[in-house]
Each structure stands twice: as structure tokens, then as C-alpha cells.
Amino acid sequence: MVTAAGLSGWRGWLELKRRELDRRDTADTTPVASAGSRIEIADLKERIRKLEAIAAGVDL
């Protein structure tokens, strides 16, 4: 039961971070984003994908 609650909280946190990234993507009004910010966003998205896979029990 504790594990299920922890997993639910973890998935909620991941969803929050995904929404923050999506909002950051749509809020960017500069026509050309700097290379550093694009790399950072791509890195964060990849980390979220890996964390989601871990939370779902998928072996990478």
C-alpha cells in the first residue's frame, strides 16, 4: 500500500515536471533559442523519460 502511494506520488511529480517543460517550450517567444537552452531542455526531457521508465518498471 505504501509502495502504491509512493508510485502515485512519483508519477504525479513526473507529470508536473513534464507540464513545466511543455509550458517552458510554449512560453519561449524568442525566434531562435540558444543552443545551450535547447540542449538543457533535451537533457531534461530525456531524464524524465528514463525516470518514467524506471517508475513503470521497464528495464533500460
Side-chain angles (χ1 to χ4, degrees), residues 1-8:
M1 184 176 269
V2 173
T3 304
L7 183 58
S8 175

Side-chain angles (χ1 to χ4, degrees), residues 2-3 9 13 15 18-19 23 28 31 34 38-39 51 53 56:
V2 173
T3 304
W13 182 84
E15 182 61 30
R18 180 184 295 121
R19 288 182 184 177
R23 185 173 24 143
D28 188 15
S34 69
R38 285 184 282 169
I39 291 171
L51 291 172

Side-chain angles (χ1 to χ4, degrees), residues 13-58:
W13 182 84
L14 288 175
E15 182 61 30
L16 172 68
K17 292 300 175 183
R18 180 184 295 121
R19 288 182 184 177
E20 286 178 357
L21 286 174
D22 290 343
R23 185 173 24 143
R24 192 181 295 174
D25 286 344
T26 58
D28 188 15
T29 58
T30 58
V32 178
S34 69
S37 66
R38 285 184 282 169
I39 291 171
E40 181 181 349
I41 290 171
D43 183 49
L44 290 173
K45 286 183 178 181
E46 183 62 27
R47 287 182 185 185
I48 289 175
R49 281 188 207 105
K50 288 180 181 179
L51 291 172
E52 287 174 334
I54 291 169
V58 176

